[in-house]
Amino acid sequence: MAKWPFPKEKLLIIGEGGVNHCGRFDDAIALCVIAKEAGCDAIKFQVYQPRDIWTEEPDILKREKLQLTLEEYAKVFDYARAIGLVVGASFFGHYGQTLQAKCDFIKIASRSFPDRMPPLVTSRPVVVSCGRYLPAEPNPEWVYMACVSSYPTEKVPFAAMQYLAAASDHGVWGYSSHFVTPYNVDSMAAVRQGARIIEKHFCIDRAGIEIDKRVSLEPEELKYFTEQLRGQMGKP
């Protein structure tokens, strides 16, 4: 794997597109544009086959409609990079391995870490969400993200932030926000404690999505989010 390539002094904001494109290629492209115009540095999507994760047929059928084809994802990743975004994706199994080479980083979701890790087949920086498990011996080449994996939530994982800040004093750590109360206080608190990667779900329009509705920002909210966080940098 490769080390995180961005300096510790830089705040990198990831717009988590997830599956908020709802399986529509044009909406995935629109999410890239929204992330760029809102001031995000990166965009991330979720690439999976629902049957690899869920066991109940209604869940599987609902989520099958939310996926692009691998060919469509490849085009979206190329487009995102062409407009100046860093590109990442979460993988949940063998499915989509060919796309890892098109990513600037690979995200390991909380549900996968540490006992259901997808195969990592390319040399890319790895970002790990620690909603279920905090590593006793962190891999110095990985970036760990504090988060609450059961969401939406009004809880802020301060203990996990403090643990990662201490464990990562030689490098970079981050925070993945699933917070639903106003003003982005959770992400601002993470930045104040030293997080240099912040990830936040966003969408085109909350009325048009079903999954992650309560934790996703709309375009103007995402722009305000990035402005708030960048304003937090450097404050005592």
Side-chain angles (χ1 to χ4, degrees), residues 101-231:
K102 285 187 169 290
C103 292
D104 297 304
F105 67 92
I106 295 169
K107 175 77 180 293
I108 306 299
S110 290
R111 68 165 54 243
S112 302
F113 181 66
D115 52 344
R116 290 178 284 183
M117 295 277 289
L120 302 174
V121 298
T122 55
S123 180
R124 294 291 184 272
V126 174
V127 178
V128 182
S129 275
C130 299
R132 294 174 54 242
Y133 176 85
L134 286 167
E137 297 182 6
N139 184 330
E141 293 192 346
W142 289 3
V143 172
Y144 295 91
M145 306 275 281
C147 77
V148 177
S149 59
S150 178
Y151 63 87
T153 184
E154 295 182 3
K155 298 179 180 179
V156 181
F158 287 114
M161 291 180 188
Q162 292 166 358
Y163 178 88
L164 293 179
S168 305
D169 59 359
H170 60 282
V172 176
W173 65 279
Y175 172 59
S176 181
S177 173
H178 296 136
F179 203 58
V180 295
T181 56
Y183 311 121
N184 306 317
V185 294
D186 61 322
S187 296
M188 289 195 294
V191 172
R192 290 290 291 272
Q193 293 195 63
R196 290 299 175 261
I197 306 171
I198 302 292
E199 179 184 72
K200 185 67 177 178
H201 287 261
F202 76 103
C203 62
I204 299 170
D205 179 356
R206 272 191 295 272
I209 62 173
E210 183 176 352
I211 306 298
D212 298 330
K213 182 188 291 283
R214 291 187 61 198
V215 298
S216 296
L217 301 178
E218 292 185 340
E220 286 302 312
E221 295 170 329
L222 182 64
K223 183 177 181 181
Y224 180 62
F225 178 81
T226 63
E227 290 172 350
Q228 268 194 315
L229 295 194
R230 299 204 191 282

Side-chain angles (χ1 to χ4, degrees), residues 55-88:
T55 57
E56 299 295 327
E57 197 67 16
D59 290 331
I60 292 170
L61 293 176
K62 178 171 66 176
R63 293 175 183 273
E64 280 180 342
K65 300 175 182 178
L66 303 179
Q67 280 294 309
L68 301 174
T69 67
L70 297 184
E71 292 76 14
E72 288 174 325
Y73 272 125
K75 292 177 182 178
V76 172
F77 291 3
D78 287 344
Y79 177 82
R81 188 172 293 107
I83 65 172
L85 290 169
V86 174
V87 178

